[in-house]
Amino acid sequence: MVHLGGRDRAKLERVARLAGKAARIVVADITTRAGIAALARRTRAGLDILVHSAGLYRQESIEAINAKAWAELDAVNLHAPVILTMACLAQLRAVSGQVVFINSTAGLHAGPRTLAYAAGKHGLRAAADALRQQVSPDGIRVLSVFPGRTDTPMQRAILKAEKRTAPPGTLLRAEDIADMVLAALKAPRSSEVTEIVMRPSKPLPAGR
Ligand SMILES: NC(=O)c1ccc[n+]([C@@H]2O[C@H](COP(=O)([O-])OP(=O)(O)OC[C@H]3O[C@@H](n4cnc5c(N)ncnc54)[C@H](OP(=O)(O)O)[C@@H]3O)[C@@H](O)[C@H]2O)c1
């Protein structure tokens, strides 16, 4: 059974339909206690794999960063995945489960105008590393994934703001990332894939 979490019921129902009878939705804002509790409650019957993919993006000059907007980014990109993992630890321990953090190449290298986003993603990498060291003895595996630009609504908004278009082959597809994550999750239990770095095979032409 797959439990799909997010705030937008209609969007979740669309994705659930693609997955067929094996999917259930949980309408939850992961920045709230109620949202975390709803997701953790749903997994009480068992949780093999927890995938953190929710994210927020902002791009701005250092002068434009403000504390409120930065806190909103960190709430989704850094704090929520850690808090949700903690809420699900007992279920994960019971079955030697696996945790996947969808990070970003910004979690490895900070670019210009991405201070707040990149700092949060660097923090998420550190959180995953610390978690892994703590839960490895329980047989839990922790994977961080660092994708480059990927064709999603988030990336389409970024390209629009940058006034750029992406020629074919210059963006990853979400399914490319899913395939790599699945391969890592299926790796024999004698091993652990801890990090995956992915980028589109063709570079995006430089912006104006
Ligand atoms: N697209 C890229 O180029 C790219 C590159 C590297 C890394 N990433 C990372 O990949 C992950 C997925 O991003 P994406 O490109 O798929 O972004 P997206 O198209 O904007 O989707 C983000 C998802 O996060 C969910 N979300 C946001 N705030 C939430 C909240 N408070 N509670 C629950 N769900 C929330 C949204 O669902 P609802 O709106 O329904 O709540 C939405 O489904 C993110 O961590 C992002 O940082 C993306």
Side-chain angles (χ1 to χ4, degrees):
M1 178 66 62
V2 180
H3 297 277
L4 300 163
R7 294 163 302 175
D8 183 333
R9 176 179 293 277
K11 205 158 63 177
L12 290 171
E13 285 175 346
R14 272 200 306 278
V15 180
R17 272 196 294 277
L18 293 175
K21 284 191 182 133
R24 297 272 186 282
I25 66 165
V26 191
V27 179
D29 181 336
I30 52 164
T31 63
T32 65
R33 265 193 214 186
I36 296 286
L39 286 160
R41 217 172 21 247
R42 185 61 78 81
T43 63
R44 235 175 245 156
L47 178 63
D48 298 304
I49 299 164
L50 175 59
V51 180
H52 299 287
S53 178
L56 266 190
Y57 182 84
R58 286 181 70 93
Q59 218 179 30
E60 67 238 311
S61 68
I62 191 159
E63 294 84 0
I65 293 171
N66 68 71
K68 184 168 174 285
W70 196 343
E72 282 167 7
L73 271 190
D74 278 350
V76 177
N77 294 348
L78 176 58
H79 301 151
V82 174
I83 292 166
L84 180 56
T85 305
M86 281 158 51
C88 297
L89 258 190
Q91 294 95 305
L92 289 162
R93 282 200 167 108
V95 295
S96 294
Q98 309 195 63
V99 185
V100 181
F101 294 97
I102 304 298
N103 199 304
S104 164
T105 47
L108 300 171
H109 313 285
R113 300 173 64 83
T114 61
L115 188 155
Y117 178 76
K121 290 291 193 181
H122 274 70
L124 185 63
R125 184 193 196 191
D129 290 347
L131 174 73
R132 186 180 306 106
Q133 292 190 48
Q134 195 176 327
V135 299
S136 277
D138 303 322
I140 298 176
R141 301 197 293 196
V142 178
L143 168 66
S144 283
V145 184
F146 303 92
R149 289 181 188 253
T150 307
D151 189 7
T152 68
M154 177 189 284
Q155 186 55 236
R156 290 193 276 280
I158 294 170
L159 290 168
K160 194 172 170 203
E162 293 174 346
K163 298 185 174 54
R164 298 167 93 178
T165 51
T170 58
L171 296 179
L172 287 167
R173 299 173 314 156
E175 48 268 46
D176 300 335
I177 300 168
D179 284 349
M180 290 302 296
V181 168
L182 265 181
L185 293 173
K186 287 184 190 163
R189 279 293 178 152
S190 51
S191 66
E192 178 172 12
V193 181
T194 57
E195 298 195 338
I196 295 174
V197 183
M198 291 180 76
R199 61 171 208 175
S201 51
K202 291 186 194 165
L204 191 67
R208 277 172 286 148

